[in-house]
Amino acid sequence: MSFTPTAEQTAIGEAFRAGKDLVVQAGAGSGKTTTLKGLGEATKRRGRYVAYNTAIVAEAKQKMPGNVRCSTGHGLAFPSTGVLYKDRLNMRYQPAREVAQILGITQPARISDHLVLAPAQIARLAKDTVGRFTKTAVGDIAPWHVPTPTGVVDEADIRAVRDLVHPWALKVWADITNRAGGRLKVDHDHYLKLFQLSEPRINADFILFDEAQDADPCVMAIIQAQTHAQIVAVGDSAQAIYAWRGAVDALARFSETADAVLTLSQSFRFGPAIAAEANKWLDAINAPLRVKGFEQILTARRDRRARRDPVPHQRRGDRATHGRRQGRPPRRPPRQDGQGDPRARRRRRATPERSPARPPRTHGVPDLGRRPAVR
């Protein structure tokens, strides 16, 4: 490594050079990217850095050595699979009414006495079913992929909706996979799912799987299938933010088969006080990692404060006893005659002899009903 590693980073480097599959729980600001960069620099083997977020991948491209290629999960799939659907990726948005016309859904469907689905609703549920399927690792669309419509709570109605929508979802998927005659718009998750179903082999000797806590089962299945490569899954289970789109904590899944589970707990982003507060919340959610603050941040802050103010901090009431800070005027002593009391000032304003009544203002409009004085 081209930097001075911590003890935790040294342990990760040794395990990586030993060829072990690793899971690294990395806290906020713990030098995760720097550690992965050091792993890439420690070998001449071909590596692949994979992360979900495009911005993270763009940052990694600027830092990783030349033997490590960086891409998102969709970037893995596009050169071989996504490019085949390039024209349909750029199609305009298709509303549910148009999707229903393409699929041939022309009549509403009565589910029960109190539930009727319009053709556009059926088409939307069919598309959402395919969307949920693309984020899983299974090979076929099942009835449980069908989402439950809003407000439907009866179990019999839910089963009836699944039985109705499932065949239409299969028709949507058949149209999407039809490269020659398909009419529906293709999304990026569609070709990523097709890539996963093709059982691809990533051309790399080791894979650095970053932000693994935000991976969905589809991407996780692609990485797990690379049995020929050494896998290093890195992330923080307490920072998972993509569960709303089907993501799972892949770190927990990789931990079941990894050769070692290591940590990066020394944060370089904040000091001990913030770390202590963060650990309270990590304890509350039973997170697998506790962070340690960087002592030099607190020391540097004290040094800056000392240069700005040579006199130690004192309470405002103690300045008269212990001396005032340099460059500040002394505090004005309170008045002895009560003039400094705001209540006394209000009483003086309310006194009639001190505040004589003023005549009413006419705002420039003459009082026509008032007769002028006779001289």
Side-chain angles (χ1 to χ4, degrees):
M1 296 183 179
S2 59
F3 56 93
T4 303
T6 63
E8 293 175 324
Q9 291 172 330
T10 300
I12 294 172
E14 292 176 352
F16 175 76
R17 287 189 293 271
K20 296 181 179 180
D21 290 339
L22 304 177
V23 169
V24 180
Q25 288 279 356
S30 60
K32 175 188 61 177
T33 304
T34 304
T35 303
L36 295 179
K37 175 186 175 183
L39 298 183
E41 293 174 342
T43 181
K44 295 182 179 180
R45 297 181 297 161
R46 297 168 303 169
R48 174 75 77 157
Y49 172 94
V50 181
Y52 171 76
N53 193 293
T54 304
I56 294 177
V57 172
E59 180 183 357
K61 287 181 179 179
Q62 300 176 356
K63 297 181 179 180
M64 290 295 168
N67 62 318
V68 178
R69 297 179 59 187
C70 304
S71 65
T72 62
H74 295 90
L76 289 173
F78 186 82
S80 61
T81 308
V83 69
L84 303 176
Y85 300 89
K86 185 176 181 180
D87 294 338
R88 293 170 66 183
L89 284 169
N90 298 325
M91 290 176 61
R92 62 175 178 81
Y93 169 76
Q94 294 174 332
R97 185 183 307 166
E98 182 178 348
V99 174
Q101 293 175 356
I102 295 175
L103 296 176
I105 308 175
T106 59
Q107 298 295 327
R110 178 172 294 278
I111 304 300
S112 62
D113 294 338
H114 54 276
L115 179 60
V116 178
L117 295 180
Q121 291 176 300
I122 300 174
R124 185 179 299 108
L125 288 172
K127 283 191 61 179
D128 292 345
T129 300
V130 173
R132 296 179 67 178
F133 162 69
T134 59
K135 295 176 177 61
T136 65
V138 299
D140 299 307
I141 300 177
W144 59 268
H145 288 125
V146 179
T148 302
T150 303
V152 178
V153 295
D154 186 75
E155 290 294 334
D157 291 346
I158 294 175
R159 288 193 298 268
V161 170
R162 290 177 175 177
D163 293 339
L164 170 68
V165 175
H166 180 241
W168 293 113
L170 295 176
K171 192 171 182 179
V172 170
W173 185 242
D175 183 280
I176 289 173
T177 56
N178 185 358
R179 291 169 48 193
R183 299 170 58 190
L184 294 177
K185 178 178 172 58
V186 174
D187 293 336
H188 293 278
D189 287 341
H190 294 159
Y191 69 75
L192 179 61
K193 180 60 179 179
L194 290 171
F195 180 71
Q196 181 254 324
L197 293 176
S198 67
E199 299 181 356
R201 176 186 172 94
I202 299 176
N203 190 18
D205 299 318
F206 65 93
I207 298 174
L208 305 177
F209 189 24
D210 199 2
E211 302 294 341
Q213 78 278 356
D214 289 326
D216 59 36
C218 180
V219 177
M220 185 177 65
I222 295 174
I223 302 300
Q224 284 184 320
Q226 311 308 310
T227 55
H228 66 282
Q230 181 184 5
I231 298 176
V232 179
V234 187
D236 185 357
S237 297
Q239 297 189 53
I241 60 174
Y242 286 109
W244 58 271
R245 67 174 307 277
V248 296
D249 186 6
L251 290 173
R253 308 287 179 88
F254 280 109
S255 299
E256 299 173 358
T257 57
D259 297 322
V261 179
L262 304 175
T263 60
L264 286 174
S265 60
Q266 176 62 68
S267 177
F268 301 95
R269 188 178 299 170
F270 45 77
I274 295 179
E277 185 65 25
N279 286 330
K280 295 179 183 178
W281 296 98
L282 293 175
D283 289 335
I285 63 175
N286 196 24
L289 179 69
R290 302 296 181 270
V291 294
K292 294 180 289 187
F294 195 39
E295 292 286 350
Q296 295 184 19
I297 291 180
L298 181 61
T299 304
R301 187 173 300 168
R302 288 172 176 170
D303 293 342
R304 290 195 301 270
R305 185 181 299 168
R307 289 193 298 269
R308 185 174 63 250
D309 184 12
V311 179
H313 287 280
Q314 302 167 2
R315 296 194 304 273
R316 184 180 296 273
D318 294 341
R319 290 180 187 170
T321 305
H322 297 88
R324 59 185 178 86
R325 299 181 183 177
Q326 295 182 1
R328 291 193 179 186
R331 190 175 62 174
R332 178 182 298 177
R335 297 183 180 182
Q336 302 297 328
D337 55 357
Q339 295 180 2
D341 186 1
R343 292 175 296 180
R345 290 198 298 269
R346 287 196 294 269
R347 285 196 298 269
R348 287 196 297 272
R349 293 195 190 101
T351 305
E353 56 271 19
R354 296 293 298 271
S355 301
R358 297 181 179 179
R361 299 182 62 180
T362 59
H363 301 284
V365 180
D367 187 2
L368 301 180
R370 185 176 181 180
R371 306 179 69 177
V374 178
R375 295 178 181 269

